[in-house]
């Protein structure tokens, strides 16, 4: 999403703003009653107002998407916004998916929807523009062959820094977690649990989906110590802090670092030598949709090279659409070098996956880190 609106991802589920990635299956139960009423209300309105109801983060599609889709297909869509993955998941889980036809969610939540039997299989014959996807985007571990989801954007998480304020190139997560004296009080980390934990996990050489309690305790201890050197945990204004000089080095999603680069050319992005997570935002058709044919047409419309290129041009995130990326002005990659990362290199990073019951451990550990003195 655009910086003023986002989540997380990411990346996102978090605040993405990426939102706080609390286990959807556990956390959603608490909100089901209220969510069911909202979902029922949406379902009632959707039938008369539009052919399709689509939920997405604000600013994550072209503002004229409804008019453009109607001109191309004759179909009307209603776009509703969710602030977080958890928000829309609460409604979907409470209503059995009713009230929505198409939803944009991060890949671990697409996994959950599929596991709960709420995701409609992608009708590939009805979505010929799937051919525009990079081969790497059709072989993602959580959904090989794009059987129940279609990737919309993808990217990495790394270090975003002021090259005029940081000595040398910060090429390790330890440059953030154990910063030089000159950087203490000038660094920020993402507040949401999956990304906060990922920095420590990668620094220790562990999986970003680590479940081993002993390893998670090591990560916790590292991050508790790192907290003492931070300016703040920040999911939404870290790039502004870089622009102003309040911060010098921050943990960032690649696209969000690009927002800072737009305002100050001294800002740079790097994926540390220990690696990154691979975050993906996806499109899912709900099994409960009463207009699945139109839903598939919408996905096909999004995957048109011109339409999908809008996301790269305006959100400054990479899209997994080969035809769209090849249509971009080369000046975009010159201004934002991370936009030029090859898919083959991007998919070397580890996908964030649904943690299942282990998510409660992540939530507890992050709470303990933030409460530590």
């Amino acid at each position: 999403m655009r910086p003023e609106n986002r989540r997380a991802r990411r990346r996102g589920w978090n605040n993405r703003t990426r939102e706080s990635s609390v286990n959807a299956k556990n956390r959603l139960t608490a909100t089901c009653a209220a969510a069911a009423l909202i979902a029922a209300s949406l379902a009632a309105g959707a039938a008369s107002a539009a052919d399709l109801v689509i939920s997405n983060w604000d600013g994550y599609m072209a503002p004229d998407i409804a008019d453009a889709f109607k001109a191309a297909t004759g179909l009307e869509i209603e776009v509703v916004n969710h602030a977080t993955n958890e928000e829309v998941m609460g409604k979907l889980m409470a209503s059995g998916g009713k009230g929505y036809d198409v939803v944009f969610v991060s890949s671990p939540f697409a996994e959950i929807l599929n596991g709960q039997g709420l995701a409609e299989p992608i009708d590939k014959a009805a979505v010929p523009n799937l051919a525009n996807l990079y081969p790497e985007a059709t072989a993602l571990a959580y959904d090989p062959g794009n059987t129940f989801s279609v990737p919309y954007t993808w990217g990495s998480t790394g270090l975003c820094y002021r090259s005029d304020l940081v000595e040398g190139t910060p090429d390790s997560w330890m440059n953030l977690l154990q910063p030089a004296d000159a950087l203490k009080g000038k660094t920020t980390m993402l507040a949401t649990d999956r990304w906060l934990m990922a920095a420590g996990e990668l620094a220790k050489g562990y999986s970003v989906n680590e479940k081993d309690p002993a390893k998670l305790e090591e990560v916790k201890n590292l991050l508790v110590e790192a907290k003492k050197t931070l300016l703040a945990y920040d999911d939404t204004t870290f790039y502004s802090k870089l622009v102003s000089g309040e911060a010098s080095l921050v943990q960032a999603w690649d696209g969000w670092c690009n927002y800072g680069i737009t305002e100050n050319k001294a800002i740079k992005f790097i994926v540390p030598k220990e690696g990154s997570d691979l975050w993906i935002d996806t499109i899912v058709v709900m099994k409960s949709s009463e207009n699945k044919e139109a839903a598939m047409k919408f996905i096909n419309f999004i995957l048109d090279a011109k339409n999908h290129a809008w996301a790269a041009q305006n959100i400054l995130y990479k899209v997994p659409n080969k035809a769209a990326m090849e249509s971009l002005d080369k000046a975009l990659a010159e201004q934002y070098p991370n936009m030029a990362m090859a898919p083959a290199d991007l998919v070397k990073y580890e996908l964030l996956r649904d943690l299942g019951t282990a998510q409660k451990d992540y939530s507890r550990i992050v709470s303990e880190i933030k409460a530590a003195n």
Side-chain angles (χ1 to χ4, degrees):
M1 272 176 217
R2 290 177 177 172
E4 63 268 23
N5 298 316
R6 273 205 40 120
R7 115 217 174 277
R9 201 71 133 116
R10 14 226 241 292
R11 164 165 241 90
W13 77 120
N14 24 4
N15 253 342
R16 228 154 136 177
T17 51
R18 296 192 178 213
E19 59 261 304
S20 175
S21 177
V22 181
N23 183 325
K25 294 174 206 167
N26 294 332
R27 187 173 165 191
L28 297 173
T29 303
T31 61
C32 279
L37 292 174
I38 297 171
S41 172
L42 282 169
S48 60
D51 296 293
L52 293 174
V53 175
I54 297 163
S55 189
N56 199 350
W57 292 279
D58 188 22
Y60 220 27
M61 295 186 295
D64 65 346
I65 185 74
D67 291 340
F69 184 63
K70 183 176 181 180
T73 66
L75 296 166
E76 293 191 5
I77 63 173
E78 176 186 352
V79 178
V80 296
N81 296 134
H82 54 261
T84 67
N85 277 299
E86 280 88 0
E87 177 189 336
V88 71
M89 289 291 289
K91 296 170 184 176
L92 295 172
M93 300 289 274
S95 69
K98 294 179 180 177
Y100 298 94
D101 298 284
V102 178
V103 296
F104 287 66
V105 291
S106 300
S107 58
F109 292 86
E111 281 191 82
I112 293 172
L113 290 174
N114 185 58
Q116 294 294 312
L118 298 178
E120 174 71 11
I122 301 298
D123 181 353
K124 295 182 180 179
V127 190
N129 283 335
L130 283 167
N132 286 337
L133 293 176
Y134 287 107
E136 293 87 350
T138 68
L140 299 165
Y142 67 89
D143 184 16
N146 311 119
T147 62
F148 61 84
S149 65
V150 174
Y152 179 63
T153 56
W154 58 0
S156 59
T157 311
L159 300 177
C160 190
Y161 65 100
R162 282 280 297 268
S163 60
D164 56 337
L165 299 178
V166 175
E167 184 176 349
T169 300
D171 63 353
S172 169
W173 284 108
M174 294 307 291
N175 293 131
L176 176 70
L177 301 179
Q178 295 181 354
D181 288 344
L183 293 177
K184 290 179 179 178
K186 304 281 285 184
T187 62
T188 73
M189 294 186 70
L190 297 173
T192 55
D193 50 1
R194 292 303 297 273
W195 282 275
L196 177 58
M197 291 291 287
E201 289 165 335
L202 289 164
K204 300 287 290 184
Y206 299 152
S207 166
V208 295
N209 301 298
E210 186 58 64
K211 297 181 181 180
D212 182 86
K215 291 180 179 179
L216 292 178
E217 186 68 17
E218 290 181 39
V219 171
K220 170 189 166 182
N221 293 336
L222 175 61
L223 294 176
V224 166
E225 289 303 307
K227 180 188 175 185
K228 300 173 184 177
T229 69
L230 292 178
L231 168 65
Y233 294 113
D234 187 348
D235 280 0
T236 57
T237 65
F238 53 81
Y239 70 95
S240 297
K241 288 181 172 68
L242 282 179
V243 172
S244 69
E246 184 181 2
S248 300
L249 173 67
V250 304
Q251 181 186 13
W253 300 294
D254 46 11
W256 281 59
C257 189
N258 288 339
Y259 306 143
I261 293 171
T262 299
E263 299 185 43
N264 188 323
K265 293 182 180 179
I267 294 176
K268 309 292 183 185
F269 178 81
I270 186 172
V271 173
K273 60 188 177 184
E274 299 93 347
S276 166
D277 65 277
L278 168 58
W279 60 260
I280 300 174
D281 288 337
T282 73
I283 312 173
V284 176
V285 174
M286 301 310 300
K287 187 173 288 292
S288 60
S289 171
E290 296 182 0
N291 201 344
K292 297 181 179 67
E293 181 180 354
M296 298 301 167
K297 287 183 178 180
F298 178 78
I299 293 179
N300 196 58
F301 180 80
I302 289 291
L303 292 180
D304 176 84
K306 180 180 178 181
N307 297 330
H308 212 172
W310 181 94
Q313 293 163 337
N314 291 273
I315 306 171
L316 300 181
Y317 276 3
K318 293 176 283 292
V319 298
N321 186 316
K322 185 175 187 287
M325 291 297 289
E326 289 179 348
S327 74
L328 300 178
D329 190 325
K330 295 189 186 314
L332 195 68
E334 293 172 1
Q335 184 175 4
Y336 309 106
N338 65 69
M339 293 287 288
M341 180 180 287
D345 293 326
L346 183 62
V347 298
K348 291 177 183 177
Y349 302 133
E350 187 180 10
L351 272 165
L352 290 171
R353 302 293 300 271
D354 172 34
L355 294 171
T357 58
Q359 180 60 52
K360 67 181 183 295
D361 297 322
Y362 276 58
S363 300
R364 172 185 55 79
I365 290 170
V366 168
S367 295
E368 292 172 353
I369 292 168
K370 292 179 179 179
N373 295 320

